[in-house]
Amino acid sequence: MFFGLAVFGFANQSPLLFSLGYKKLVSHLYAGAVVVVIPAVIWSTDRYGLTGAAVIISSVHFVLFFVSIAVTMRLISLSISGVISQIWRPVVACTLMAVVVIYLQQQLYANDYAQVWVLLLSSFVGALTFFCVAALLWWISGKPSAAETRIFGLVSNRLRNNTNSQTADH
């Protein structure tokens, strides 16, 4: 899990750092990780086998993830409160989505529904739950300028354009 989170996070930070002109910084962060990983993997593999190597690799990537987050936040002058103010709505929406989907799956599996139906219903209900909760939280918080603003603007323009083109055809 740590490895996946770290790779995902760093993969999303690298383009930002590149675009800001910090190409060498990305190389230095990875080089530092390699310098630590190679001897640690050799030692841990000898003592604990493949499990030891996996733990070391995951741990180093986990630390690299937080170091790169701290460096990136400092370079772009982003505070922790600034990050939290932007991500709290999707985090709450995702948490509620997970609760709803887990409950739904328990009910569906208890009634012996086919796995394909469980997957389809879980996907639909999960997406609908996330969208509705995120939209509600955005609206309750006063419609701040955020990703939701852009999404609703695009949808609104698209609907307006479709309506205008349909009335022009008649």
Side-chain angles (χ1 to χ4, degrees), residues 36-72:
V36 172
V37 163
I38 291 175
V41 165
I42 292 169
W43 173 82
S44 66
T45 305
D46 186 45
R47 287 188 69 126
Y48 304 106
L50 290 177
T51 303
V55 168
I56 291 296
I57 290 170
S58 295
S59 299
V60 168
H61 275 86
F62 186 70
V63 171
L64 177 64
F65 173 72
F66 284 105
V67 168
S68 65
I69 288 277
V71 168
T72 303

Short mmCIF file of all heavy atoms in Angstrom, two decimals, residues 36-72:
data_model
loop_
_atom_site.label_atom_id
_atom_site.label_comp_id
_atom_site.label_asym_id
_atom_site.label_seq_id
_atom_site.Cartn_x
_atom_site.Cartn_y
_atom_site.Cartn_z
N VAL A 36 19.80 4.86 -0.53
CA VAL A 36 19.33 4.22 0.70
C VAL A 36 18.81 2.81 0.43
O VAL A 36 19.09 1.88 1.19
CB VAL A 36 18.24 5.08 1.38
CG1 VAL A 36 17.61 4.36 2.55
CG2 VAL A 36 18.81 6.42 1.82
N VAL A 37 18.07 2.65 -0.66
CA VAL A 37 17.40 1.37 -0.93
C VAL A 37 18.38 0.24 -1.20
O VAL A 37 18.23 -0.86 -0.66
CB VAL A 37 16.41 1.51 -2.11
CG1 VAL A 37 16.01 0.17 -2.68
CG2 VAL A 37 15.17 2.25 -1.67
N ILE A 38 19.39 0.46 -2.03
CA ILE A 38 20.25 -0.65 -2.46
C ILE A 38 20.92 -1.35 -1.28
O ILE A 38 20.76 -2.57 -1.11
CB ILE A 38 21.26 -0.19 -3.54
CG1 ILE A 38 20.49 0.11 -4.83
CG2 ILE A 38 22.34 -1.25 -3.77
CD1 ILE A 38 21.31 0.68 -5.94
N PRO A 39 21.65 -0.64 -0.41
CA PRO A 39 22.25 -1.38 0.71
C PRO A 39 21.20 -1.93 1.68
O PRO A 39 21.38 -3.03 2.23
CB PRO A 39 23.13 -0.34 1.40
CG PRO A 39 22.82 0.97 0.81
CD PRO A 39 22.06 0.75 -0.44
N ALA A 40 20.10 -1.21 1.87
CA ALA A 40 19.07 -1.69 2.79
C ALA A 40 18.41 -2.96 2.26
O ALA A 40 18.12 -3.88 3.03
CB ALA A 40 18.04 -0.60 3.03
N VAL A 41 18.17 -3.03 0.95
CA VAL A 41 17.57 -4.22 0.37
C VAL A 41 18.52 -5.41 0.46
O VAL A 41 18.10 -6.53 0.76
CB VAL A 41 17.13 -3.97 -1.10
CG1 VAL A 41 16.85 -5.26 -1.84
CG2 VAL A 41 15.90 -3.07 -1.13
N ILE A 42 19.79 -5.17 0.20
CA ILE A 42 20.78 -6.26 0.31
C ILE A 42 20.78 -6.80 1.74
O ILE A 42 20.71 -8.02 1.96
CB ILE A 42 22.18 -5.76 -0.11
CG1 ILE A 42 22.18 -5.48 -1.62
CG2 ILE A 42 23.25 -6.78 0.26
CD1 ILE A 42 23.42 -4.75 -2.11
N TRP A 43 20.84 -5.91 2.73
CA TRP A 43 20.85 -6.33 4.13
C TRP A 43 19.55 -7.04 4.51
O TRP A 43 19.56 -8.12 5.11
CB TRP A 43 21.07 -5.11 5.03
CG TRP A 43 20.94 -5.43 6.47
CD1 TRP A 43 21.89 -5.98 7.29
CD2 TRP A 43 19.79 -5.25 7.29
NE1 TRP A 43 21.40 -6.15 8.55
CE2 TRP A 43 20.09 -5.70 8.58
CE3 TRP A 43 18.52 -4.74 7.06
CZ2 TRP A 43 19.18 -5.66 9.62
CZ3 TRP A 43 17.60 -4.70 8.10
CH2 TRP A 43 17.94 -5.16 9.37
N SER A 44 18.39 -6.44 4.15
CA SER A 44 17.12 -7.01 4.59
C SER A 44 16.79 -8.31 3.88
O SER A 44 16.18 -9.21 4.46
CB SER A 44 15.98 -6.00 4.38
OG SER A 44 15.79 -5.74 3.02
N THR A 45 17.21 -8.45 2.62
CA THR A 45 16.98 -9.70 1.89
C THR A 45 17.78 -10.83 2.50
O THR A 45 17.29 -11.95 2.64
CB THR A 45 17.32 -9.54 0.39
OG1 THR A 45 16.58 -8.44 -0.14
CG2 THR A 45 17.00 -10.79 -0.39
N ASP A 46 19.00 -10.50 2.89
CA ASP A 46 19.85 -11.51 3.52
C ASP A 46 19.25 -11.99 4.84
O ASP A 46 19.30 -13.17 5.17
CB ASP A 46 21.26 -10.93 3.74
CG ASP A 46 22.23 -11.97 4.25
OD1 ASP A 46 22.24 -13.09 3.69
OD2 ASP A 46 22.97 -11.66 5.21
N ARG A 47 18.70 -11.07 5.60
CA ARG A 47 18.17 -11.41 6.93
C ARG A 47 16.73 -11.91 6.88
O ARG A 47 16.37 -12.82 7.62
CB ARG A 47 18.23 -10.20 7.84
CG ARG A 47 19.63 -9.89 8.30
CD ARG A 47 19.61 -8.82 9.34
NE ARG A 47 19.02 -9.31 10.56
CZ ARG A 47 19.59 -9.26 11.75
NH1 ARG A 47 20.78 -8.73 11.86
NH2 ARG A 47 18.98 -9.70 12.81
N TYR A 48 15.88 -11.32 6.05
CA TYR A 48 14.44 -11.60 6.10
C TYR A 48 13.83 -12.08 4.78
O TYR A 48 12.62 -12.23 4.68
CB TYR A 48 13.68 -10.37 6.57
CG TYR A 48 14.16 -9.85 7.91
CD1 TYR A 48 14.93 -8.70 7.99
CD2 TYR A 48 13.87 -10.53 9.09
CE1 TYR A 48 15.38 -8.22 9.21
CE2 TYR A 48 14.33 -10.08 10.31
CZ TYR A 48 15.08 -8.91 10.37
OH TYR A 48 15.53 -8.44 11.57
N GLY A 49 14.66 -12.26 3.77
CA GLY A 49 14.16 -12.74 2.48
C GLY A 49 13.40 -11.67 1.72
O GLY A 49 13.60 -10.47 1.92
N LEU A 50 12.50 -12.12 0.85
CA LEU A 50 11.76 -11.19 0.00
C LEU A 50 10.85 -10.26 0.81
O LEU A 50 10.63 -9.11 0.42
CB LEU A 50 10.92 -11.97 -1.02
CG LEU A 50 11.71 -12.67 -2.11
CD1 LEU A 50 10.79 -13.47 -3.03
CD2 LEU A 50 12.51 -11.66 -2.92
N THR A 51 10.36 -10.74 1.93
CA THR A 51 9.53 -9.89 2.77
C THR A 51 10.32 -8.69 3.28
O THR A 51 9.82 -7.56 3.29
CB THR A 51 8.96 -10.69 3.96
OG1 THR A 51 8.23 -11.80 3.44
CG2 THR A 51 8.06 -9.84 4.82
N GLY A 52 11.54 -8.93 3.68
CA GLY A 52 12.40 -7.84 4.14
C GLY A 52 12.66 -6.82 3.05
O GLY A 52 12.62 -5.61 3.29
N ALA A 53 12.90 -7.31 1.83
CA ALA A 53 13.13 -6.40 0.70
C ALA A 53 11.87 -5.57 0.42
O ALA A 53 11.95 -4.36 0.20
CB ALA A 53 13.52 -7.19 -0.54
N ALA A 54 10.72 -6.21 0.46
CA ALA A 54 9.46 -5.50 0.21
C ALA A 54 9.21 -4.43 1.27
O ALA A 54 8.78 -3.32 0.96
CB ALA A 54 8.29 -6.48 0.16
N VAL A 55 9.50 -4.76 2.52
CA VAL A 55 9.30 -3.79 3.60
C VAL A 55 10.23 -2.60 3.43
O VAL A 55 9.82 -1.44 3.58
CB VAL A 55 9.50 -4.46 4.98
CG1 VAL A 55 9.61 -3.43 6.09
CG2 VAL A 55 8.38 -5.44 5.26
N ILE A 56 11.49 -2.85 3.08
CA ILE A 56 12.44 -1.75 2.89
C ILE A 56 12.03 -0.87 1.72
O ILE A 56 12.00 0.37 1.83
CB ILE A 56 13.87 -2.30 2.68
CG1 ILE A 56 14.40 -2.92 3.97
CG2 ILE A 56 14.81 -1.22 2.17
CD1 ILE A 56 14.57 -1.94 5.13
N ILE A 57 11.71 -1.48 0.60
CA ILE A 57 11.33 -0.70 -0.59
C ILE A 57 10.08 0.13 -0.30
O ILE A 57 10.03 1.32 -0.62
CB ILE A 57 11.11 -1.63 -1.81
CG1 ILE A 57 12.46 -2.19 -2.25
CG2 ILE A 57 10.43 -0.89 -2.95
CD1 ILE A 57 12.36 -3.29 -3.28
N SER A 58 9.09 -0.47 0.33
CA SER A 58 7.87 0.27 0.67
C SER A 58 8.16 1.39 1.65
O SER A 58 7.64 2.50 1.51
CB SER A 58 6.83 -0.68 1.27
OG SER A 58 6.42 -1.62 0.32
N SER A 59 8.98 1.13 2.65
CA SER A 59 9.30 2.14 3.66
C SER A 59 10.04 3.33 3.05
O SER A 59 9.73 4.48 3.36
CB SER A 59 10.14 1.53 4.78
OG SER A 59 9.43 0.49 5.41
N VAL A 60 11.01 3.04 2.20
CA VAL A 60 11.76 4.13 1.57
C VAL A 60 10.85 4.96 0.67
O VAL A 60 10.91 6.19 0.68
CB VAL A 60 12.99 3.59 0.79
CG1 VAL A 60 13.60 4.65 -0.09
CG2 VAL A 60 14.02 3.04 1.76
N HIS A 61 9.97 4.31 -0.07
CA HIS A 61 9.03 5.06 -0.91
C HIS A 61 8.05 5.86 -0.06
O HIS A 61 7.66 6.97 -0.43
CB HIS A 61 8.29 4.13 -1.86
CG HIS A 61 9.05 3.85 -3.10
ND1 HIS A 61 9.99 2.85 -3.18
CD2 HIS A 61 9.05 4.46 -4.30
CE1 HIS A 61 10.51 2.86 -4.39
NE2 HIS A 61 9.97 3.83 -5.09
N PHE A 62 7.66 5.32 1.06
CA PHE A 62 6.76 6.03 1.96
C PHE A 62 7.42 7.31 2.47
O PHE A 62 6.82 8.39 2.44
CB PHE A 62 6.37 5.11 3.13
CG PHE A 62 5.33 5.69 4.03
CD1 PHE A 62 4.02 5.84 3.60
CD2 PHE A 62 5.64 6.05 5.33
CE1 PHE A 62 3.05 6.36 4.44
CE2 PHE A 62 4.68 6.57 6.18
CZ PHE A 62 3.38 6.72 5.73
N VAL A 63 8.67 7.21 2.90
CA VAL A 63 9.41 8.39 3.36
C VAL A 63 9.63 9.36 2.20
O VAL A 63 9.46 10.58 2.36
CB VAL A 63 10.76 7.97 4.01
CG1 VAL A 63 11.63 9.18 4.28
CG2 VAL A 63 10.50 7.18 5.29
N LEU A 64 10.01 8.84 1.03
CA LEU A 64 10.21 9.68 -0.14
C LEU A 64 8.94 10.45 -0.49
O LEU A 64 9.00 11.62 -0.86
CB LEU A 64 10.66 8.83 -1.34
CG LEU A 64 10.84 9.56 -2.67
CD1 LEU A 64 11.97 10.58 -2.56
CD2 LEU A 64 11.12 8.57 -3.78
N PHE A 65 7.81 9.80 -0.36
CA PHE A 65 6.53 10.45 -0.64
C PHE A 65 6.35 11.68 0.24
O PHE A 65 6.03 12.77 -0.24
CB PHE A 65 5.39 9.45 -0.41
CG PHE A 65 4.01 10.05 -0.51
CD1 PHE A 65 3.50 10.44 -1.74
CD2 PHE A 65 3.24 10.22 0.61
CE1 PHE A 65 2.23 10.98 -1.84
CE2 PHE A 65 1.97 10.77 0.52
CZ PHE A 65 1.47 11.15 -0.70
N PHE A 66 6.56 11.53 1.54
CA PHE A 66 6.36 12.66 2.45
C PHE A 66 7.43 13.74 2.29
O PHE A 66 7.14 14.92 2.40
CB PHE A 66 6.25 12.18 3.89
CG PHE A 66 4.92 11.55 4.17
CD1 PHE A 66 4.79 10.19 4.29
CD2 PHE A 66 3.77 12.33 4.26
CE1 PHE A 66 3.56 9.61 4.52
CE2 PHE A 66 2.53 11.76 4.48
CZ PHE A 66 2.42 10.39 4.61
N VAL A 67 8.66 13.33 2.00
CA VAL A 67 9.71 14.32 1.74
C VAL A 67 9.37 15.12 0.49
O VAL A 67 9.46 16.35 0.47
CB VAL A 67 11.10 13.64 1.61
CG1 VAL A 67 12.13 14.60 1.05
CG2 VAL A 67 11.54 13.09 2.96
N SER A 68 8.96 14.43 -0.56
CA SER A 68 8.64 15.13 -1.81
C SER A 68 7.41 16.02 -1.65
O SER A 68 7.34 17.10 -2.23
CB SER A 68 8.46 14.14 -2.96
OG SER A 68 7.36 13.31 -2.74
N ILE A 69 6.44 15.59 -0.85
CA ILE A 69 5.27 16.43 -0.59
C ILE A 69 5.72 17.71 0.13
O ILE A 69 5.31 18.82 -0.23
CB ILE A 69 4.24 15.68 0.29
CG1 ILE A 69 3.55 14.59 -0.49
CG2 ILE A 69 3.23 16.63 0.91
CD1 ILE A 69 2.38 15.03 -1.32
N ALA A 70 6.56 17.55 1.16
CA ALA A 70 7.03 18.71 1.92
C ALA A 70 7.81 19.67 1.02
O ALA A 70 7.62 20.89 1.06
CB ALA A 70 7.89 18.26 3.10
N VAL A 71 8.70 19.12 0.19
CA VAL A 71 9.50 19.95 -0.71
C VAL A 71 8.60 20.67 -1.72
O VAL A 71 8.73 21.87 -1.95
CB VAL A 71 10.57 19.09 -1.43
CG1 VAL A 71 11.21 19.85 -2.58
CG2 VAL A 71 11.62 18.62 -0.44
N THR A 72 7.67 19.93 -2.31
CA THR A 72 6.77 20.52 -3.31
C THR A 72 5.90 21.61 -2.68
O THR A 72 5.74 22.69 -3.27
CB THR A 72 5.88 19.43 -3.94
OG1 THR A 72 6.72 18.44 -4.53
CG2 THR A 72 4.97 20.02 -5.00
#
